């Protein structure tokens, strides 16, 4: 299955779902450079894990991809359209890019089911029955079907994050962005969230994951990007990054986290 | 005890029954309720508009300044007007605002109650605006981002995700503002409107008996506030129930 997937990626290497060119994000008139020139391409079905020390710009990079962070300059092509450009309907692009946050951000005033069906019903104009059927199907997959009528405050952190993932999936996105999805969780809950992400990766979802879970990166990533000081310092397969790091910066980072 | 009761009865007779003086109280109460209700509506409408402008501007400043169009400049001007409104209204006493309305801006109009409604409405709007803006700003930015990342636009995010949460959190503070407004209307007497307070004072002036009319007026205000608080409390409990 793994081979199939690699073959699929190889044949579609020219089929980039996201292409980033010269992406920069400066604060305070350029005094702080959160991103200082990022160039990369994400292929359809690829799982990219972004690692790096805190303050390296990896979260800013991820959030730029759906314009939650507005770039100072550069281009981000999503399905061939530069979403940084003028006159782009960013809301339409965001519908196709699921996002999972460190702090879950479930809507506290709605039941789990409502959390999941709100966007499909309002934005995709699905009927209630259709949206709820899809939501229940996804809840079944993550083993939380019995919590459909619960409110977020009644769930554990791990459960909340699994709901956040399937809430994004309800919009049937082309790509999923994960911003440190396990960083706010108790250690014993990390596994259940990573399991859902692994399942998703095996199903061929395009994923960009900012994380400190090196085990996940090694096991699931097609490509690992190491960022520091707002630039991509090194990128490659998990084997290249973890077993044969070239740059000194990456070597010292890995020495600290592994 | 019996003697005291007889005194009380005589006092009551003098202040409320003789010459039909109770009609002043009824008329005053009517004016107080009229002014409160209509200025409340104006206040809410104004408050929502100003809060919407101010918080939308603050939250989208960065996104809009990227492509400085005509809309951006217009919005900047509207935002500045809203800020000026808040500063002037919150920076001057409501009595002075009422006097200015009555003797300067509407000097030719003799529709006293309408003038008071406008003055109190404009005044209350500034406070409601800041209460709502505080509520909006207190919602975790992650809620905005979650809404936007699903593909909702700014207005949809506000309507489906933010406002329902804001409403719940600002309800006690809004209720407080309405109580303040109800009691603030007691200064309407300054411009010759016979509101509840003025009615009590008029009776006192006629009967030279202060206790009965003034305590009666105070009790009526108290009952109004207690009823209002109870209604809001009920609404609050109902809203909270939906979360457990």
């Amino acid at each position: 299955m793994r081979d199939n997937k690699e073959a699929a990626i190889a044949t579609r290497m020219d089929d980039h779902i996201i292409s980033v060119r010269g992406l920069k994000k400066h604060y305070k008139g350029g005094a702080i450079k959160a991103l200082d020139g990022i160039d990369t391409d994400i292929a359809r079905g690829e799982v990219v894990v972004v690692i790096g020390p805190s303050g390296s710009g990896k979260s800013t990079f991820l959030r730029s991809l759906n314009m939650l962070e507005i770039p100072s300059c550069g281009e981000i092509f999503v399905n061939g359209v530069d979403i940084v450009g003028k006159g782009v309907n960013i809301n339409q692009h965001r519908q196709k890019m699921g996002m999972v946050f460190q702090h879950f951000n479930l809507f506290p005033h709605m039941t789990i089911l409502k959390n999941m069906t709100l966007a499909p019903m309002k934005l995709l104009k699905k009927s209630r029955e259709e949206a709820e059927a899809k939501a229940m199907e996804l809840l079944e997959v993550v083993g939380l079907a019995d919590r459909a009528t619960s409110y977020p405050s009644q769930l554990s952190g791990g459960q909340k994050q699994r709901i956040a993932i399937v809430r994004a999936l309800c919009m049937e996105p082309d790509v999923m962005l994960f911003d440190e999805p396990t960083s706010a969780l108790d250690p014993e809950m990390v596994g259940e969230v990573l399991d859902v992400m692994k399942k998703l990766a095996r199903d061929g979802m395009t994923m960009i994951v900012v994380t400190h879970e090196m085990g996940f990166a090694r096991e699931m990533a097609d490509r690992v990007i190491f960022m520091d000081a707002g630039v991509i310092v090194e990128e490659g397969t998990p084997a290249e990054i973890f077993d044969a790091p070239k740059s000194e910066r990456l070597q010292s980072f890995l020495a600290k986290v592994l | 005890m019996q003697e005291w009761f007889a005194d009380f009865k005589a006092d009551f007779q003098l202040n409320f029954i003789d010459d039909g003086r109770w009609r002043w109280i009824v008329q005053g109460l009517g004016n107080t309720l009229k002014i409160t209700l209509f200025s409340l509506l104006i206040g809410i409408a104004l408050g929502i508009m100003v809060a919407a402008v101010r918080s939308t501007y603050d939250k989208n400043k960065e996104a809009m300044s990227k492509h400085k169009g005509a809309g951006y400049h217009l919005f900047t001007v509207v935002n500045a007007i809203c800020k000026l409104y808040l500063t002037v209204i919150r920076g001057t006493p409501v009595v002075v605002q009422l006097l200015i309305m009555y003797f300067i801006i509407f000097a030719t109009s003799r529709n006293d109650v309408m003038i008071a409604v406008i003055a109190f409405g404009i005044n209350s709007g500034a406070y409601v605006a800041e209460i709502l803006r505080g509520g909006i700003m207190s919602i975790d930015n992650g809620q905005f981002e979650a809404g936007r990342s699903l593909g909702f636009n700014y207005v949809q995010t506000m309507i489906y995700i933010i406002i329902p949460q804001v409403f719940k959190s600002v309800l006690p503070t809004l209720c407080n503002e309405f109580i303040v407004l109800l009691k603030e209307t007691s200064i309407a007497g300054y411009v010759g409107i016979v509101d509840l307070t003025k009615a009590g004072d008029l009776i006192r002036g006629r009967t030279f008996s202060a206790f009965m009319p003034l305590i009666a007026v105070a009790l009526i205000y108290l009952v109004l506030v207690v009823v209002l608080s109870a209604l809001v409390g009920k609404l609050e409990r109902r809203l909270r129930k939906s979360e457990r």
Side-chain angles (χ1 to χ4, degrees):
Chain A
M1 182 185 160
R2 190 84 192 143
D3 290 342
N4 277 345
K5 200 184 153 196
E6 263 159 35
I9 291 171
T11 57
R12 289 181 304 199
M13 246 356 212
D14 53 335
D15 182 15
H16 294 140
I17 187 162
I18 297 174
S19 295
V20 180
R21 293 288 173 268
L23 181 66
K24 291 185 183 183
K25 174 73 180 180
H26 295 171
Y27 294 104
K28 298 184 177 164
I32 299 167
K33 295 181 166 114
L35 295 178
D36 202 16
I38 302 280
D39 295 272
T40 192
D41 296 300
I42 314 281
R44 222 171 273 280
E46 196 178 15
V47 175
V48 176
V49 172
V50 184
I51 60 171
S54 60
S56 60
K58 52 193 193 308
S59 272
T60 309
F61 165 62
L62 190 78
R63 289 159 54 81
S64 299
L65 294 180
N66 69 354
M67 296 290 281
L68 284 182
E69 213 73 61
I70 296 156
S72 306
C73 63
E75 290 144 356
I76 301 168
F77 296 95
V78 178
N79 290 322
V81 180
D82 180 12
I83 60 170
V84 185
K86 217 170 172 170
V88 172
N89 185 348
I90 189 62
N91 301 315
Q92 230 139 44
H93 282 278
R94 283 176 177 151
Q95 289 180 19
K96 293 275 127 203
M97 304 173 92
M99 177 119 188
V100 175
F101 300 87
Q102 182 177 356
H103 295 288
F104 332 128
N105 295 341
L106 296 180
F107 307 134
H109 58 301
M110 298 176 187
T111 62
I112 299 309
L113 200 58
K114 189 87 198 296
N115 260 279
M116 295 174 67
T117 55
L118 180 72
M121 283 169 62
K122 300 291 182 192
L123 296 172
L124 304 181
K125 305 293 175 206
K126 283 191 179 183
S127 71
R128 175 178 299 277
E129 294 72 32
E130 208 182 337
E132 287 186 351
K134 171 86 183 167
M136 288 311 297
E137 185 187 310
L138 284 163
L139 282 175
E140 211 66 66
V141 172
V142 297
L144 290 170
D146 56 328
R147 307 315 297 267
T149 55
S150 303
Y151 283 88
S153 60
Q154 298 165 318
L155 303 185
S156 72
Q159 290 174 327
K160 282 183 198 170
Q161 195 61 299
R162 283 186 279 160
I163 297 295
I165 293 171
V166 288
R167 178 177 70 180
L169 290 177
C170 277
M171 290 297 286
E172 292 164 20
D174 296 335
V175 52
M176 287 283 286
L177 312 175
F178 293 83
D179 189 4
E180 304 203 22
T182 57
S183 298
L185 296 176
D186 289 341
E188 77 265 28
M189 291 171 183
V190 170
E192 63 191 60
V193 171
L194 290 182
D195 284 344
V196 172
M197 292 168 63
K198 286 175 190 170
K199 209 179 285 180
L200 199 53
R202 291 199 192 96
D203 289 347
M205 175 62 76
T206 311
M207 293 164 66
I208 306 170
V209 185
V210 170
T211 187
H212 295 292
E213 295 294 328
M214 298 302 156
F216 176 84
R218 192 186 272 275
E219 187 183 346
M220 298 310 299
D222 298 306
R223 177 157 53 111
V224 178
I225 292 178
F226 172 67
M227 284 183 67
D228 190 29
V231 295
I232 295 176
V233 177
E234 201 169 329
E235 60 183 311
T237 63
E240 287 167 349
I241 292 291
F242 292 112
D243 301 332
K246 289 193 266 306
S247 66
E248 203 178 307
R249 191 67 196 83
L250 176 56
Q251 284 163 9
S252 76
F253 175 74
L254 290 175
K256 277 180 210 145
V257 298
L258 287 180
Chain B
M1 184 69 197
Q2 221 161 18
E3 199 178 318
W4 178 85
F5 192 73
D7 274 358
F8 184 88
K9 221 177 132 188
D11 215 10
F12 191 88
Q13 172 83 25
L14 171 69
N15 281 298
F16 299 128
I17 311 296
D18 290 354
D19 293 344
R21 294 199 177 104
W22 57 272
R23 283 198 216 100
W24 277 348
I25 297 284
V26 172
Q27 187 203 350
L29 179 62
N31 276 338
T32 291
L33 290 178
K34 226 186 291 174
I35 294 169
T36 306
L37 182 69
F38 287 111
S39 48
L40 187 69
L41 294 178
I42 292 179
I44 290 174
L46 258 178
I48 289 174
M49 285 193 288
V50 173
V53 170
R54 295 274 296 112
S55 55
T56 303
Y57 183 82
D58 284 352
K59 286 211 172 276
N60 295 306
K61 206 171 1 181
E62 198 196 0
M64 286 187 305
S65 61
K66 182 91 181 157
H67 310 296
K68 285 196 175 92
Y72 171 74
H73 294 295
L74 179 69
F75 205 9
T76 307
V77 171
V78 174
N79 181 59
I81 292 172
C82 288
K83 267 184 163 170
L84 182 69
Y85 161 70
L86 294 174
T87 308
V88 170
I89 294 300
R90 295 191 303 155
T92 54
V94 62
V95 190
V96 178
Q97 290 165 23
L98 180 66
L99 290 173
I100 290 174
M101 278 286 172
Y102 189 81
F103 289 110
I104 301 173
I105 298 174
F106 291 105
T108 54
S109 168
R110 289 282 72 93
N111 191 343
D112 299 356
V113 172
M114 188 203 70
I115 295 169
V117 164
I118 292 172
F120 286 115
I122 288 175
N123 181 270
S124 182
Y127 292 94
V128 172
E130 285 298 273
I131 290 169
L132 293 180
R133 194 173 68 89
I136 292 169
M137 291 301 172
S138 75
I139 302 292
D140 180 23
N141 204 39
Q143 293 287 315
F144 274 98
E145 292 188 342
R148 298 305 302 274
S149 76
L150 284 169
F152 286 115
N153 63 31
Y154 179 82
V155 174
Q156 289 169 325
T157 306
M158 288 299 279
I159 290 173
Y160 298 133
I161 295 156
I162 307 302
I163 303 280
Q165 297 183 57
V166 168
F167 186 63
K168 204 181 306 184
S169 71
V170 300
L171 205 54
T173 334
L174 268 186
C175 173
N176 194 46
E177 164 59 21
F178 299 155
I179 290 173
V180 169
L181 175 64
L182 169 68
K183 292 184 298 177
E184 244 173 19
T185 60
S186 62
I187 59 167
Y190 258 90
V191 294
I193 296 169
V194 180
D195 73 319
L196 187 56
T197 306
K198 188 74 183 173
D201 201 42
L202 283 172
I203 295 174
R204 182 195 57 77
R206 286 292 164 83
T207 61
F208 299 108
S209 151
F211 179 84
M212 187 67 76
L214 294 185
I215 294 297
V217 164
L219 281 176
I220 293 172
Y221 277 115
L222 187 64
V223 168
L224 289 177
V225 169
V226 168
V227 169
L228 183 64
S229 307
L231 288 177
V232 174
K234 210 170 186 178
L235 183 59
E236 246 175 86
R237 274 192 300 280
R238 187 176 303 170
L239 285 174
R240 219 174 308 139
K241 213 180 284 169
S242 72
E243 218 166 278
R244 328 249 149 239

